Amino acid sequence: MSSHDIPADITNEVADLRRRIDEANHRYYVENESDIPDNDYDRLMRRLQALEEQFPALVTPESPTQRVGAPLSGEFPSVTHSVRMLSLDNAFSDDELSAFVKRAATRLGSDPESLTFCCEPKLDGLAVSLIYRDGKLVQGATRGDGSTGEDITRNVRTIRSIPLKLSGHDVPSLLEVRGEVFIGHSGFEGMNERARKENGKVFANPRNAAAGSLRQLDPSITNDRPLEFFAYQVAQLEGAEWADTHSAMMARLREFGFRSNPELAIVQGASGIIDFCQRMGERRASLDYDIDGAVLKIDSLAQQAELGFVSRAPRWAIAFKFPAEERITTLNDVEFQVGRIGTLTPVAKLEPVQVAGVTVTNATLHNMDEVARLDVRIGDQVIVRRAGDVIPQIVKVVIEQRPDNTRDIVMPERCPVCGSQIERLEGEVAARCSGGLFCPAQRKESLQHFASRKALDIDGLGEKLIDVLVEREMVKTPADLFRLGVAELAELPRMAEKSASNLVAALDKARSTTLARFIYAIGIREVGEATAAVLATRFGSLDALMSAELEQLMSVPDIGPIVARHIHTFFRQQANVDTVKALQDEGVHWEEVEATDRPQPLEGQTWVLTGTLEQMTRDDAKERLQQLGAKVAGSVSKKTSCVVAGPGAGSKLAKAEQLEVEVIDEATFLERLAGYEGEATTDSEASDE
Ligand code: IVH
C-alpha cells in the first residue's frame, strides 16, 4: 500500500501524534521541563508505533519512533568537513584575556572596551557536527582531525536534545550546526549505578562515558546512555538569511529546536569577559555538567569575518581555561609498575580524593629522581593536581604536616612482575627489569621486536596478531611462537586457514637465521643490529657470548661499559637463558661462524649505500658489511671510506665525488665482499696479529 491509499484520518492522526511527541520531547530534553505525565507520553508513543506497524508506508526517518536504527557492521565511514572544524587558542589568566581583546581591537581598528562578546561555558564533552537538508537531519559527525571525522549519524539520532527535524519558520535548505555532546552529572551517576548492578562498564568520568557512548557501533547502546547536546555554532547556512550576530544565530537555533547553553551572556570589553570567567568559576560546582573554562566569542559576525583565523584557531574567539585544581591527601603506599619496555615507574597509591570532578586514587611519580626531588615518603600529606584531561600529578609534600612514622620509598631489587633483577645504571634516570624475554609486562614489545624485519623477520606476525596471541595467553615467550598450530591460529579473528598456514610456514622459515640476527632479536638493551653483528663475529657462538665476562665484553670495539653490563646482566637471568634454550630446542639455528678477535677486514671503516641495489637488498648488504666490521652510515662525510652507488643515486653520490671519497658500483662491491669474506673465514689458522 502506498501512502496515497491510506485513509486521511490515519495520516492526520499520525501527524498529530508526531507533533505531540516531538513537543513533549522538546520540552523535556531541550527546555528541561516536563508537562506531560510519563503514562500519557508512553500511550502516544505506543499508538504511533502501532499505526506505523499497520501502515509502514507512513514511516519516515524523522518520526520519533525512528531514533534507534540497526547496528553498523565494521567501522564508521569517514566524512570530510566542508568547513574545517577549528580549535581554540587558550588563555590562562586575566592578562591573557586582555591581550586577546586588545589584539582583536587593534586589527578591527576599534576601541577594546566597545567590543561586544558572546560568552559561554566551555563544556568538557565532544565536538559534533550536524547537517540538516531541507530541515531533516542527514548527517552527524565527530570532529576527527578537523578536516575528516567519523560518520556517527545513527548515534546522534538517539540523542533526544538533537532534533531529527527542524521546527519553526523559514527552515534553511542547508544548515550545519556544531555543538558539544556530553553527559551530565546526574545522568552519569545513574548510568554508572546501573552498570555496577549489571556488571557493566563503569566509567571514570562523564567525558569518557560520553566519548565511549558516542562511538558505539550499535545505536541501541548509545540510546541507553544519557547523552545531551548544546549547540554553539552555525558553520553553514543556505536558503535562509544569516543574522548579524552570533547570539542572534543562537536564538535562531533555539527556534529550530536546538538547546543552547542557558548561561550564555553578552558582555562588553575585557572587563566584561574577565567578570564572566570569574562568575563561571564560581558557578562551576553548581552546574550539572563538567566545564573546563569559558569560550569568549566576538558577537558580530561581520567582525568575525574580518578577523578570520590563524592556522587552526579563529582570531575572534578564545577559550579561558580554569586553573588546575589541587587537593591535599595522604600517600598510602607506592607500587612499582613495569612498562612495555621494562621501565619501572613508581605509582603513588593515594587516599581517594575528589579533584576537578574525578576521584583520584593513583598518581604517577615518574621515576626515582622525581621521588628524590619531591622528597616524598610513604605516609606523607601530598598536594595532588589535576587539570583537564591531564593525568593527576603530585605537586609537592606538605612538609609541615609530615607524621612521625613515614617510610622511605625504595626501588625493589627484583621485578614485581617476573622477579628478574632490576638494573639502574649510573647516569640513567630509568630503572628497568632485565627479564626482557620473559617478563609478562614486556611480552608484547619483546615479541614485536623478535618478529621484526631486522630480527627474525617473521612475515605475517604483526602487532595486532601479537596482541591477540598474548591476550589469549597462547604465547608467553618467543619460543611459544614456534609451537603454534594452523588449526588454533585459523580460529583467531581476521585469520583463516590460508593466513594461518602462511604464518606457520613463515615461522618455519625464520628457524634458520644468523647468529647476528638472533642476538639482535632477543632484545638485549642497547644492542642494536650493528652491535649484534660485532658480537656475532667476535664471539662466534652464542655459548661464548652467554658466558663472556664483563672484561671480555668491554674489550670488543664499540662496546662500552654500559652495553657490556646490559649484555652481562641479561644472560645472568635464568629466565632469559631458559628462553634462549627453548628457542634452540624449537629448532631455531644458524650457521656457526668462526670466532675472531683479530681485526675484521673492514674494522674502523664507514660505508654508505645509495641508489638501488639489484643483486641484494640493502638490508643484506648492510648486514654483510657489518659482519666484516664496517659501520654503515646514512650520509657521506669526509670520514666515509667507500660509497656503493647503484642506479638512481643522487645527492650522496654527488657529495662523495665532491669530497673525493671512493665510489664503487654493485658489481665491484660484490667482488670485494667475496674477497673480504674469504679473508675473514679461510685463514683462521693465521696468527691473531
Ligand atoms: S566554539 C571555531 N563554544 O572546545 C570555534 N567550543 O578548542 C569553535 N567547546 O573542540 C568552537 N564548549 O568542542 C565553542 N561553547 C563552546 C564550547 C566549545 C566546548 C569545545 C569544542 C572544541 C573545543 C575548542
Side-chain angles (χ1 to χ4, degrees):
M1 191 184 319
S2 86
S3 48
H4 303 294
D5 310 324
I6 298 170
D9 56 337
I10 299 287
T11 323
N12 291 340
E13 186 184 351
V14 164
D16 184 54
L17 284 165
R18 286 184 185 154
R19 190 183 44 75
R20 290 167 68 186
I21 295 171
D22 282 342
E23 271 174 21
N25 273 340
H26 186 265
R27 264 195 301 280
Y28 186 76
Y29 292 105
V30 177
E31 289 167 2
N32 279 334
E33 356 177 312
S34 118
D35 54 3
I36 150 167
D38 285 1
N39 280 344
D40 292 358
Y41 179 86
D42 291 345
R43 203 172 34 76
L44 297 176
M45 203 61 172
R46 275 198 304 273
R47 174 71 183 147
L48 178 60
Q49 275 162 343
L51 288 175
E52 287 182 349
E53 218 161 282
Q54 201 182 342
F55 304 101
L58 285 180
V59 178
T60 71
E62 290 73 40
S63 170
T65 58
Q66 302 300 305
R67 285 211 175 247
V68 188
L72 196 68
S73 58
E75 294 169 359
F76 295 105
S78 52
V79 291
T80 309
H81 298 298
S82 40
V83 178
R84 253 182 85 84
M85 289 183 83
L86 301 175
S87 54
L88 294 171
D89 280 338
N90 293 324
F92 296 95
S93 65
D94 294 354
D95 286 350
E96 286 173 19
L97 286 174
S98 302
F100 156 70
V101 176
K102 211 163 144 208
R103 274 196 308 275
T106 309
R107 275 195 171 260
L108 293 168
S110 54
D111 168 24
E113 281 308 303
S114 75
L115 284 181
T116 304
F117 292 89
C118 182
C119 309
E120 301 155 28
K122 183 170 190 302
L123 265 79
D124 198 8
L126 298 110
V128 160
S129 140
L130 304 171
I131 294 183
Y132 291 81
R133 288 193 189 277
D134 299 321
K136 293 171 183 167
L137 174 64
V138 293
Q139 186 187 81
T142 61
R143 175 174 188 275
D145 63 3
S147 306
T148 315
E150 284 177 319
D151 184 334
I152 49 159
T153 313
R154 285 161 204 249
N155 293 347
V156 299
R157 286 176 58 89
T158 68
I159 303 173
R160 299 300 190 279
S161 43
I162 293 180
L164 298 177
K165 201 173 86 205
L166 301 182
S167 49
H169 310 286
D170 302 327
V171 164
S173 54
L174 171 71
L175 173 70
E176 180 181 353
V177 175
R178 291 177 182 171
E180 202 84 348
V181 167
F182 63 99
I183 289 181
H185 294 160
S186 35
F188 178 69
E189 292 308 326
M191 73 181 267
N192 264 358
E193 190 64 30
R194 212 173 60 188
R196 271 188 286 268
K197 273 193 207 128
E198 295 165 2
N199 267 332
K201 183 166 170 52
V202 176
F203 288 93
N205 57 51
R207 206 204 109 88
N208 289 0
S213 304
L214 209 50
R215 293 198 75 263
Q216 291 291 332
L217 289 171
D218 181 353
S220 70
I221 299 179
T222 314
N223 186 48
D224 282 340
R225 305 280 172 81
L227 291 166
E228 302 182 46
F229 180 77
F230 274 136
Y232 60 57
Q233 197 190 12
V234 173
Q236 295 190 76
L237 181 70
E238 282 170 22
E241 286 289 307
W242 284 87
D244 290 339
T245 59
H246 169 71
S247 50
M249 280 317 292
M250 297 307 289
R252 285 289 282 140
L253 289 184
R254 284 191 291 274
E255 286 164 17
F256 290 145
F258 292 96
R259 197 174 161 212
S260 70
N261 200 303
E263 306 291 329
L264 192 138
I266 307 288
V267 304
Q268 299 286 122
S271 52
I273 63 176
I274 291 170
D275 282 352
F276 180 84
C277 292
Q278 161 111 34
R279 200 160 67 239
M280 275 304 120
E282 290 157 9
R283 299 264 299 123
R284 185 181 191 185
S286 56
L287 297 173
D288 185 50
Y289 42 83
D290 283 346
I291 65 173
D292 55 359
V295 181
L296 302 319
K297 303 172 187 173
I298 291 206
D299 200 31
S300 152
L301 295 183
Q303 287 179 334
Q304 286 192 3
E306 195 176 335
L307 288 167
F309 42 85
V310 245
S311 67
R312 311 185 61 207
R315 286 201 191 89
W316 44 263
I318 199 155
F320 174 76
K321 290 288 194 73
F322 292 139
E325 269 194 41
E326 297 184 348
R327 287 282 178 283
I328 294 186
T329 190
T330 312
L331 175 63
N332 287 332
D333 200 1
V334 169
E335 281 178 8
F336 285 82
Q337 237 169 40
V338 188
R340 287 171 60 88
I341 56 167
T343 314
L344 258 73
T345 308
V347 178
K349 301 278 144 182
L350 303 165
E351 189 58 34
V353 63
Q354 281 279 325
V355 192
V358 301
T359 309
V360 175
T361 48
N362 292 330
T364 174
L365 283 163
H366 303 287
N367 51 53
M368 292 310 274
D369 280 7
E370 176 73 357
V371 169
R373 190 186 70 79
L374 289 168
D375 180 26
V376 59
R377 297 169 60 84
I378 296 168
D380 265 336
Q381 292 298 105
V382 293
I383 295 178
V384 179
R385 173 190 294 169
R386 199 185 80 97
D389 272 352
V390 184
I391 47 169
Q393 304 277 335
I394 292 189
V395 191
K396 66 174 204 174
V397 175
V398 191
I399 291 284
E400 312 82 68
Q401 291 184 29
R402 173 167 285 172
D404 293 334
N405 56 349
T406 56
R407 279 186 292 130
D408 250 350
I409 298 168
V410 268
M411 170 70 69
E413 282 175 8
R414 299 257 150 207
C415 170
V417 178
C418 76
S420 298
Q421 206 176 322
I422 297 301
E423 275 187 296
R424 186 171 182 207
L425 296 174
E426 250 170 78
E428 280 189 42
V429 173
R432 284 205 177 89
C433 158
S434 57
L437 260 191
F438 162 80
C439 181
Q442 301 176 62
R443 243 167 227 169
K444 288 182 179 174
E445 191 72 25
S446 71
L447 287 164
Q448 269 172 36
H449 175 78
F450 186 82
S452 66
R453 206 165 47 88
K454 291 172 183 169
L456 257 63
D457 193 14
I458 307 171
D459 237 7
L461 187 58
E463 195 176 323
K464 286 214 175 100
L465 183 54
I466 289 176
D467 287 354
V468 174
L469 291 170
V470 170
E471 275 148 27
R472 301 195 178 198
E473 300 199 351
M474 290 164 72
V475 172
K476 290 187 173 148
T477 76
D480 296 333
L481 290 170
F482 296 95
R483 299 184 192 116
L484 292 168
V486 175
E488 54 180 333
L489 283 170
E491 280 174 16
L492 296 176
R494 283 187 297 272
M495 290 287 278
E497 189 75 22
K498 178 99 173 87
S499 40
S501 53
N502 286 346
L503 178 59
V504 171
L507 279 159
D508 197 41
K509 188 167 152 235
R511 281 188 166 97
S512 353
T513 183
T514 62
L515 178 56
R517 275 177 180 268
F518 187 80
I519 296 172
Y520 173 68
I522 56 181
I524 306 168
R525 266 179 82 190
E526 288 185 40
V527 175
E529 37 163 354
T531 309
V534 172
L535 291 169
T537 31
R538 281 286 158 158
F539 289 91
S541 79
L542 189 64
D543 287 341
L545 176 65
M546 285 170 75
S547 54
E549 288 308 332
L550 268 177
E551 297 68 43
Q552 250 178 303
L553 288 163
M554 279 193 285
S555 70
V556 177
D558 291 340
I559 295 202
I562 293 185
V563 182
R565 268 274 279 289
H566 289 319
I567 301 168
H568 192 258
T569 314
F570 184 92
F571 289 120
R572 297 299 169 288
Q573 308 307 311
Q574 193 54 44
N576 288 339
V577 174
D578 291 346
T579 307
V580 164
K581 178 84 181 29
L583 281 164
Q584 288 177 298
D585 290 346
E586 289 307 322
V588 176
H589 65 279
W590 47 87
E591 255 177 56
E592 286 293 317
V593 279
E594 199 76 43
T596 166
D597 55 2
R598 79 196 142 73
Q600 288 291 89
L602 301 182
E603 203 164 298
Q605 297 196 8
T606 304
W607 286 56
V608 172
L609 302 166
T610 180
T612 321
L613 296 180
E614 282 154 351
Q615 317 270 344
M616 61 173 98
T617 68
R618 213 179 250 233
D619 282 338
D620 287 341
K622 193 170 167 187
E623 194 173 325
R624 285 170 74 178
L625 282 166
Q626 285 170 342
Q627 274 170 5
L628 293 165
K631 280 196 188 131
V632 180
S635 61
V636 178
S637 75
K638 271 194 298 205
K639 294 199 185 120
T640 308
S641 321
C642 186
V643 172
V644 181
S651 62
K652 288 182 199 167
L653 176 58
K655 184 86 186 279
E657 282 164 353
Q658 182 206 333
L659 295 173
E660 299 183 335
V661 168
E662 183 185 16
V663 177
I664 58 174
D665 63 9
E666 188 175 3
T668 316
F669 177 53
L670 283 168
E671 275 168 30
R672 292 220 193 148
L673 276 182
Y676 292 136
E677 285 164 354
E679 204 182 305
T681 53
T682 52
D683 56 358
S684 53
E685 268 85 7
S687 81
D688 281 347
E689 288 312 308

